[in-house]
Structure formats: structure tokens, C-alpha cells
């Protein structure tokens, strides 16, 4: 299910083209206004923070493809992970 991060709404969808790929979608709260974030920071329950570079947004939405074994997916699935944009 979608989740809230600081400054965004985050969802993950299975790719229609490749079975082992997922699309991470970040809908920015400010839409197209303001400076675009460059990094998604995910902090787990043990206060370990992981940084993921972001592509440029298009109309207030950032999308990128990850493989099923990418480290970002378990972090996004964990309700205890805090998400921040930088």
C-alpha cells in the first residue's frame, strides 16, 4: 500500500514489462513548485539511514525502476522505516 514520507507519498507497483522489476513512485507534496529533491533517505528501525539518488521529477512525480532484489524494497515495505527527501 502507499505510504507517506516527509514531503511525499510513496508507492511501489509491479512492472508490467518485467516480472523481476518494480516501479517506485514518489508524488511530491509541493507538486512542481520548489526545488526538486535529489535523494530519498530511508531510515530503518535501527536508525541506519540509506540514501538513494533520485531522477528528476516530471509534473511533481518521480518514478524509477528497481529490481526485485534491490535494497530499497524491504525498507519501503517496513512500516517502521522513515522516509525523507533531500
Amino acid at each position: 500500500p502507499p505510504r507517506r514520507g516527509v514531503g511525499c507519498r510513496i508507492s511501489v507497483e509491479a512492472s508490467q514489462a518485467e516480472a523481476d522489476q518494480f516501479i517506485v513512485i514518489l508524488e511530491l507534496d509541493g507538486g512542481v513548485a520548489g526545488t526538486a529533491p535529489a535523494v530519498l533517505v530511508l531510515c530503518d528501525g535501527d536508525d541506519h539511514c540509506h540514501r538513494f539518488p533520485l531522477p528528476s521529477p516530471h509534473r511533481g512525480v518521480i518514478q524509477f525502476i528497481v529490481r526485485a532484489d534491490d535494497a530499497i524494497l524491504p525498507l519501503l515495505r517496513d512500516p517502521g522505516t522513515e522516509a525523507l527527501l533531500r
Side-chain angles (χ1 to χ4, degrees), residues 34-52:
T35 304
V39 177
L40 173 64
V41 180
L42 298 175
C43 298
D44 62 26
D46 295 324
D47 289 331
H48 294 112
C49 294
H50 310 266
R51 300 170 63 88
F52 300 92

Side-chain angles (χ1 to χ4, degrees), residues 17-63:
E18 298 291 334
D20 68 337
Q21 292 182 343
F22 292 85
I23 303 166
V24 179
I25 304 165
L26 286 83
E27 298 174 57
L28 305 177
D29 288 349
V32 295
T35 304
V39 177
L40 173 64
V41 180
L42 298 175
C43 298
D44 62 26
D46 295 324
D47 289 331
H48 294 112
C49 294
H50 310 266
R51 300 170 63 88
F52 300 92
L54 295 173
S56 298
H58 180 70
R59 296 185 181 172
V61 177
I62 296 172
Q63 297 186 44

Side-chain angles (χ1 to χ4, degrees), residues 12-18 20-25 53 55 62-68 70 72-73:
V12 178
E13 296 181 8
S15 170
Q16 299 295 318
E18 298 291 334
D20 68 337
Q21 292 182 343
F22 292 85
I23 303 166
V24 179
I25 304 165
I62 296 172
Q63 297 186 44
F64 56 96
I65 295 173
V66 296
R67 297 186 60 84
D70 195 293
I72 196 171
L73 291 176

